[in-house]
């Protein structure tokens, strides 16, 4: 997994092949990703099948710096806003770098309820989950919000990386957060953005 918060931090449960029983909760929050000793932070806004990430430190792409990333699963696209160039760098969503907000993880093979827990000050259920993606077996601890079913925290079993909210607030999010910004020109990048974290 990449060392950036971006796509690797989260996305909604509408990835191809994942069924959605009910619409995802709308929320905002501060998301922190730790990889080894490196800490990355972003403000997150989520609505349905869309997510907006506003990074504390901009991501460097092959085309410039992007402080905002918009994930549009309805279009299977990720947009990086390159403010200096007034461009919207459009890349396909990479399912290997996306963790769902909903509990089902891509390639999930086993899920065991460990018990009741708390994450971000909210009642949660703690699970141990095993996945197998392209022959790579991984184990995780996953804290799932009891009320909304949203993943509040995900930690690799070896503790080499984690993704968790420091703050989360469930409330309606404006549609325009997830729209193309006016005056930006689209730039397609089928090979990906060349993000360096």
């Amino acid at each position: 997994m990449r060392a950036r918060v971006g796509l690797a931090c989260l996305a909604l449960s509408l990835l191809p092949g994942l069924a959605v029983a009910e619409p995802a909760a709308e929320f905002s929050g501060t998301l922190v990703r730790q990889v080894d000793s490196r800490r990355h932070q972003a403000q997150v806004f989520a609505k349905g099948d869309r997510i907006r990430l506003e990074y504390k430190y901009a991501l460097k792409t092959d085309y410039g710096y992007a402080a905002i990333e918009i994930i549009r699963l309805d279009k299977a696209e990720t947009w990086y806003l390159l403010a200096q160039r007034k461009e919207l760098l459009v890349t396909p969503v990479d399912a290997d770098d996306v963790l769902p907000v909903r509990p089902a993880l891509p390639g999930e093979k086993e899920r065991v309820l460990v018990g009741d827990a708390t994450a971000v000050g909210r009642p949660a259920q703690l699970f141990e989950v095993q996945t197998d993606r392209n022959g790579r077996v991984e184990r995780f601890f996953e804290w799932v919000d009891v009320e909304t079913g949203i993943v509040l925290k995900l930690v690799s079993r070896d503790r080499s990386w984690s993704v968790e909210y420091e703050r989360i607030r469930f409330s309606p999010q404006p549609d325009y957060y997830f729209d193309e910004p006016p005056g930006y020109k689209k730039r397609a990048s089928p090979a990906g953005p060349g993000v360096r974290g």
Side-chain angles (χ1 to χ4, degrees), residues 89-116:
L89 181 60
V90 180
T91 67
V93 171
D94 184 349
D96 286 335
D97 282 342
V98 175
L99 299 177
V101 169
R102 293 291 181 193
L105 298 177
E108 186 172 314
K109 294 293 182 193
E110 182 181 4
R111 171 177 295 269
V112 177
L113 176 62
V114 176
D116 294 333

Side-chain angles (χ1 to χ4, degrees), residues 45-124:
F45 305 91
K47 181 182 184 87
D49 55 1
R50 298 166 284 171
I51 283 190
R52 177 186 180 106
L53 297 137
E54 297 180 359
Y55 295 100
K56 184 173 183 177
Y57 301 105
L59 302 173
K60 185 175 183 182
T61 74
D62 289 340
Y63 302 98
Y65 287 92
I68 297 174
E69 177 180 4
I70 298 172
I71 301 167
R72 292 292 305 258
L73 294 172
D74 59 331
K75 299 176 183 259
E77 294 178 343
T78 299
W79 303 341
Y80 297 89
L81 277 68
L82 306 173
Q84 292 176 329
R85 299 173 76 132
K86 296 286 277 185
E87 289 183 341
L88 191 64
L89 181 60
V90 180
T91 67
V93 171
D94 184 349
D96 286 335
D97 282 342
V98 175
L99 299 177
V101 169
R102 293 291 181 193
L105 298 177
E108 186 172 314
K109 294 293 182 193
E110 182 181 4
R111 171 177 295 269
V112 177
L113 176 62
V114 176
D116 294 333
T118 303
V120 200
R122 296 181 60 87

Side-chain angles (χ1 to χ4, degrees), residues 18 112 125 180 184:
L18 293 179
V112 177
Q125 288 189 315
E180 293 178 33
Y184 275 63

Side-chain angles (χ1 to χ4, degrees), residues 25-194:
E26 293 184 40
F27 63 91
S28 63
T30 302
L31 191 73
V32 175
R33 171 149 184 165
Q34 186 131 355
V35 179
D36 298 319
S37 61
R38 296 176 63 191
R39 182 178 160 100
H40 308 272
Q41 187 174 333
Q43 187 67 25
V44 177
F45 305 91
K47 181 182 184 87
D49 55 1
R50 298 166 284 171
I51 283 190
R52 177 186 180 106
L53 297 137
E54 297 180 359
Y55 295 100
K56 184 173 183 177
Y57 301 105
L59 302 173
K60 185 175 183 182
T61 74
D62 289 340
Y63 302 98
Y65 287 92
I68 297 174
E69 177 180 4
I70 298 172
I71 301 167
R72 292 292 305 258
L73 294 172
D74 59 331
K75 299 176 183 259
E77 294 178 343
T78 299
W79 303 341
Y80 297 89
L81 277 68
L82 306 173
Q84 292 176 329
R85 299 173 76 132
K86 296 286 277 185
E87 289 183 341
L88 191 64
L89 181 60
V90 180
T91 67
V93 171
D94 184 349
D96 286 335
D97 282 342
V98 175
L99 299 177
V101 169
R102 293 291 181 193
L105 298 177
E108 186 172 314
K109 294 293 182 193
E110 182 181 4
R111 171 177 295 269
V112 177
L113 176 62
V114 176
D116 294 333
T118 303
V120 200
R122 296 181 60 87
Q125 288 189 315
L126 174 59
F127 294 91
E128 185 171 355
V129 183
Q130 179 180 325
T131 64
D132 185 347
R133 299 270 300 166
N134 303 318
R136 183 176 171 188
V137 175
E138 292 186 86
R139 289 188 177 273
F140 306 93
F141 291 107
E142 181 183 64
W143 287 256
V144 178
D145 186 75
V146 171
E147 182 183 340
T148 65
I150 298 295
V151 175
L152 299 173
K153 183 176 180 179
L154 188 65
V155 178
S156 65
R157 188 172 181 188
D158 65 5
R159 308 241 192 267
S160 63
W161 67 266
S162 65
V163 177
E164 66 182 293
Y165 287 97
E166 286 188 342
R167 293 187 313 266
I168 191 165
R169 180 172 181 239
F170 293 93
S171 62
Q173 302 301 308
D175 287 333
Y176 69 85
Y177 277 9
F178 314 97
D179 292 338
E180 293 178 33
Y184 275 63
K185 183 178 80 175
K186 279 189 169 182
R187 173 192 285 269
S189 179

